[in-house]
Amino acid sequence: MAMPLRQTIRVGTYLFEQKLRRREKFPLIVELEPLYACNLSCEGCGKIQHPAGVLKQRMPVAQAVGAVLESGAPMVSIAGGEPLMHPQIDEIVRQLVARKKYVFLCTNALLLRKKIEKFTPSPYFAFAVHIDGLRERHDASVAKEGVFDEAVEAIREAKRRGFRVTTNSTFFNTDTPQTVIEVLDYLNDDLKVDEMMISPAYAYEKAPDQEHFLGVEQTRELFRKAFAGGNRRRWRLNHSPLFLDFLEGRADFPCTAWAIPNYSLFGWQRPCYLMSDGYVPTYRQLIEETDWDSYGRGKDARCANCMAHCGYEPTAVLATMGSLKESLRAARESVSG
C-alpha cells in the first residue's frame, strides 16, 4: 500500500461519516469521462467506437465539477478517451483540487510533456499513466510503436517537476507471472512511481479484441504466482490487502459497483463503466433506480469473469474498515510497503 497518510485519513473519515449517517450506498471515487476521443486505438478499449459526433464532444467544466460535487465522493479518476485532449482539462483539475478532492488524471502520456505546464503539483493531484507492460508488450497493446518510451520520459519529467505519478496496468490472458513481475519491478524499482494499480482485463463489450480477456481462475493463478516471493508487499500497490487477497483467490466478495460510479457525456452510467445498461442525469437516480442486486458474478452472465477493481475494490475497502483486524493489517502493510 502506498496511499499518502493525508489521503488515508480523509477517506477513513469519509467512510466513518457514511456509517454515522447510515448510508448503505455511497461513492468512494467517481470515474469522470469528460470526453471519449483518444489519440490511440487500444485493443482492449471500446471508447473510440462511438460515432464521430460523440467523439467531438467535450464536457463543460461546470458540468464535470458539478457531477463530482453532487456525488460527494472524496476522490476522482478522470479518464476518457484521453483527458489531455480536453482543452479545459487543467481547469477541471484546478477546480476539483481547490475543493480538496483527490484527483487522478488517467493518461497514455503522449501529450503529457506538451501539456504539463498547465498543471501544478499538489498533494491532491496525481498523473495516472497507463502502462500495460515493458516496451514491446505495451506498444503492442496500444497498437503504436514508441508509446512506451514516451510514457517513460513523461513520467520522469513529471517526477522531476514534483508531481505525484501513479500507474495503471491491465493484464490479459497473454500475460504470464513473469511479464507481470517484469513491468511492476520496472515501475516500482527503476521509475520509482509513487503507487501502482493493477487490474485483470474484463471483456468490455465494445472492445475490438474479445479473445484475450482473463477468466476468474486464470486471474487467480496469474496473480498468485506473480505475488509470490514477497513481491506483493514489496511493490507500492495502490490496493487494499483484501483486494489483493481477492485477486489471488484467497477471499471473495460481492460487487459494489455503486461505490465507483461513472459519469460521462451521457450522464451516470448503469451499472459501471464496463457495462452500459442506460444512463440517468443524477447520482441519486443512479443509486435509487438501479437494481444493484442483479449485478455481479453469479447474478448477471456478463459479470461471470469480472474481477475488475471498479466492482470489487470498494467491497474490499468496506470490509477492511468494518474489521479491526483487517484495518490493523492494512496499516501494517502500508508502513512496511
Side-chain angles (χ1 to χ4, degrees), residues 172-311:
F172 296 80
N173 65 12
T174 49
D175 278 293
T176 66
Q178 187 58 35
T179 64
V180 174
I181 291 169
E182 287 172 354
V183 68
L184 295 183
D185 273 351
Y186 180 75
L187 296 173
N188 192 84
D189 302 336
D190 293 87
L191 282 186
K192 293 180 169 57
V193 299
D194 293 280
E195 53 196 11
M196 303 175 290
M197 179 177 288
I198 58 178
S199 184
Y202 168 76
Y204 183 62
E205 62 182 0
K206 291 185 178 180
D209 181 359
Q210 291 289 318
E211 298 180 3
H212 296 116
F213 293 106
L214 286 161
V216 171
E217 291 307 317
Q218 288 176 302
T219 295
R220 290 170 175 167
E221 182 179 6
L222 177 67
F223 288 111
R224 189 182 303 120
K225 291 180 178 178
F227 289 161
N231 285 333
R232 171 174 155 172
R233 298 191 68 177
R234 183 173 60 81
W235 291 327
R236 291 183 296 278
L237 297 173
N238 184 24
H239 295 289
S240 65
L242 279 178
F243 180 71
L244 299 178
D245 286 351
F246 171 75
L247 290 181
E248 288 190 72
R250 295 165 56 190
D252 203 5
F253 300 111
C255 174
T256 50
W258 46 262
I260 307 186
N262 174 274
Y263 185 78
S264 69
L265 294 167
F266 299 139
W268 295 98
Q269 183 171 330
R270 289 194 180 110
C272 64
Y273 83 98
L274 294 168
M275 293 167 59
S276 181
D277 284 356
Y279 300 83
V280 291
T282 68
Y283 177 72
R284 182 173 180 177
Q285 286 177 273
L286 176 72
I287 293 300
E288 295 181 354
E289 299 176 11
T290 303
D291 182 9
W292 298 104
D293 291 336
S294 66
Y295 295 104
R297 285 185 290 117
K299 297 178 180 180
D300 187 311
R302 296 171 297 176
C303 304
N305 289 314
C306 181
M307 295 182 72
H309 73 278
C310 66

Side-chain angles (χ1 to χ4, degrees), residues 18-54:
Q18 307 314 305
K19 186 174 182 179
L20 287 179
R21 295 175 183 176
R22 298 184 178 180
R23 294 180 65 187
E24 293 185 357
K25 293 182 174 62
F26 49 85
L28 282 176
I29 181 169
V30 169
E31 292 186 333
L32 177 67
E33 295 180 329
L35 80 171
Y36 286 132
C38 191
N39 48 7
L40 288 176
S41 302
C42 302
E43 291 297 310
C45 176
K47 298 296 181 179
I48 63 170
Q49 304 302 313
H50 289 288
V54 173

Side-chain angles (χ1 to χ4, degrees), residues 49-244:
Q49 304 302 313
H50 289 288
V54 173
L55 295 179
K56 292 179 181 178
Q57 295 180 32
R58 305 292 184 264
M59 187 181 293
V61 174
Q63 181 182 345
V65 175
V68 175
L69 297 182
E70 176 205 353
S71 76
M75 299 181 287
V76 187
S77 173
I78 305 178
E82 170 52 54
L84 289 178
M85 293 176 65
H86 193 297
Q88 295 175 293
I89 189 60
D90 56 317
E91 182 62 17
I92 293 175
V93 169
R94 189 192 68 78
Q95 291 197 24
L96 290 171
V97 166
R99 291 165 172 83
K100 296 186 177 180
K101 302 293 184 182
Y102 285 92
V103 180
F104 298 85
L105 193 155
C106 304
T107 176
N108 57 40
L110 285 179
L111 295 173
L112 182 51
R113 288 197 288 175
K114 179 179 179 180
K115 303 279 188 176
I116 199 167
E117 296 285 354
K118 294 177 174 286
F119 301 91
T120 303
S122 166
Y124 292 98
F125 176 68
F127 289 111
V129 180
H130 199 92
I131 300 288
D132 280 348
L134 296 182
R135 181 180 292 107
E136 182 178 351
R137 196 166 198 82
H138 180 71
D139 286 357
S141 74
V142 300
K144 186 174 182 178
E145 293 184 3
V147 176
F148 177 83
D149 289 339
E150 178 58 34
V152 167
E153 290 306 311
I155 289 172
R156 287 177 173 153
E157 178 64 11
K159 292 284 290 180
R160 187 185 70 79
R161 290 172 178 256
F163 287 95
R164 285 183 63 214
V165 180
T166 70
T167 54
N168 184 10
S169 300
T170 304
F171 298 107
F172 296 80
N173 65 12
T174 49
D175 278 293
T176 66
Q178 187 58 35
T179 64
V180 174
I181 291 169
E182 287 172 354
V183 68
L184 295 183
D185 273 351
Y186 180 75
L187 296 173
N188 192 84
D189 302 336
D190 293 87
L191 282 186
K192 293 180 169 57
V193 299
D194 293 280
E195 53 196 11
M196 303 175 290
M197 179 177 288
I198 58 178
S199 184
Y202 168 76
Y204 183 62
E205 62 182 0
K206 291 185 178 180
D209 181 359
Q210 291 289 318
E211 298 180 3
H212 296 116
F213 293 106
L214 286 161
V216 171
E217 291 307 317
Q218 288 176 302
T219 295
R220 290 170 175 167
E221 182 179 6
L222 177 67
F223 288 111
R224 189 182 303 120
K225 291 180 178 178
F227 289 161
N231 285 333
R232 171 174 155 172
R233 298 191 68 177
R234 183 173 60 81
W235 291 327
R236 291 183 296 278
L237 297 173
N238 184 24
H239 295 289
S240 65
L242 279 178
F243 180 71
L244 299 178

Side-chain angles (χ1 to χ4, degrees), residues 2-13:
M3 183 184 290
L5 180 60
R6 180 186 304 190
Q7 185 177 345
T8 301
I9 294 173
R10 170 74 178 280
V11 173
T13 301

